[in-house]
Amino acid sequence: MKISKEFILIIFLSLLPLLSIFTTIDLPHTHDGAVHLSRMAAYFKTLADGNILPRWAGDLNYGYGLPLFNFIYHTPYLVSSIFLALGISLVATFKLVISISFVLAGIFMYLFAKEFFKNYKTAFLVAVFYQFAPFRLVELLIRGSYGELYTYTFLPLVLFGLSKFFAEKRVKWLTLTAVSSMLLILSHNSISLMFFGVIALFILIFAPNNKARFLGFLALGGGLLASSYYWLPALAEHRYT
């Protein structure tokens, strides 16, 4: 695959807003950052205890525990567990996890826009506007919204997979769509629900024929099915909270 100068520039520009959080060893001052440190530790601990699909955060709620991961997103905590397993501190892990989500969001949006518009410069502009939309920077640097950041990472990847499938009709792009849809759902429940509406409209409007339209929705269904271990118990047990 040819790597264009626009692709490299998107990565470079995406790193610029992240410089401020790495100029200090302290936790970035965000609305939710401190909350996520304890959740990261609880998620990693329950994974280390052998619970492959974590549901119970045993050390939270003053040591009484609570079924936090039955209802809250998993993707950012799965990513953070990799760094914690390598012995990286909670604060450094938080910085790395939000940084990865932001940089990948720029890369995936560039790939989608290039496939959709068939133009490197247009794709570059789309990715720049996506990355530097004020709301995106607020979520990254002010809110520190762990899960929502990852929904903006996987939305363009879903659209990229669909665009490639509509153009090439290859199974691997349907697989990418299904996997990225699953990760989108696991990133944030309510935001992913809204984005699924956007994706459904994309399929209805841009699928070249009914067969491609059906297979596109089938890939989304595969993502729903793969993530059902998370959202089915949450729906079934929400009345107990």
Side-chain angles (χ1 to χ4, degrees), residues 73-76 78 181-188 227 229-230:
Y73 38 83
H74 285 216
T75 300
L78 281 169
S181 297
M182 176 193 71
L183 292 171
L184 174 62
I185 294 168
L186 294 177
S187 295
H188 198 280
S227 60
Y229 79 89
Y230 162 64

Side-chain angles (χ1 to χ4, degrees), residues 35-227:
V35 172
H36 292 302
L37 295 189
S38 58
R39 292 176 177 178
M40 287 159 50
Y43 195 91
F44 176 66
K45 184 175 184 298
T46 191
L47 276 179
D49 288 341
N51 300 308
I52 303 303
L53 303 177
R55 299 195 180 281
W56 188 260
D59 290 339
L60 300 186
N61 191 29
Y62 301 98
Y64 291 100
L66 74 163
L68 176 67
F69 303 118
N70 217 37
F71 304 97
I72 202 169
Y73 38 83
H74 285 216
T75 300
Y77 298 118
L78 281 169
V79 178
S80 68
S81 295
I82 297 172
F83 294 110
L84 293 176
L86 295 174
I88 299 174
S89 70
L90 288 169
V91 172
T93 294
F94 177 80
K95 294 179 181 182
L96 289 169
V97 172
I98 63 174
S99 299
I100 288 170
S101 73
F102 190 73
V103 173
L104 286 180
I107 292 173
F108 294 154
M109 179 53 77
Y110 174 79
L111 292 175
F112 162 62
K114 182 169 68 70
E115 179 63 28
F116 187 79
F117 294 106
K118 307 297 183 183
N119 185 283
Y120 288 101
K121 292 182 179 179
T122 301
F124 173 75
L125 288 175
V126 169
V128 167
F129 281 116
Y130 187 71
Q131 289 295 79
F132 291 92
F135 180 72
R136 293 267 289 124
L137 295 177
V138 167
E139 285 207 323
L140 176 69
L141 300 174
I142 297 177
R143 293 186 61 211
S145 184
Y146 224 36
E148 288 183 37
L149 285 170
Y150 274 85
T151 62
Y152 289 95
T153 300
F154 291 114
L155 171 64
L157 187 59
V158 175
L159 298 177
F160 171 69
L162 287 169
S163 298
K164 292 291 286 187
F165 173 71
F166 293 158
E168 300 179 8
K169 309 295 189 297
R170 300 179 68 178
V171 174
K172 69 177 182 179
W173 300 120
L174 280 181
T175 304
L176 175 64
T177 301
V179 172
S180 53
S181 297
M182 176 193 71
L183 292 171
L184 174 62
I185 294 168
L186 294 177
S187 295
H188 198 280
N189 40 19
S190 58
I191 300 297
S192 63
L193 179 63
M194 178 182 69
F195 282 168
F196 255 62
V198 174
I199 296 166
L201 282 175
F202 182 84
I203 294 173
L204 288 172
I205 295 171
F206 296 106
N209 52 55
N210 285 333
K211 181 179 179 181
R213 199 169 285 118
F214 170 76
L215 291 174
F217 281 117
L218 188 65
L220 287 187
L224 277 169
L225 183 63
S227 60

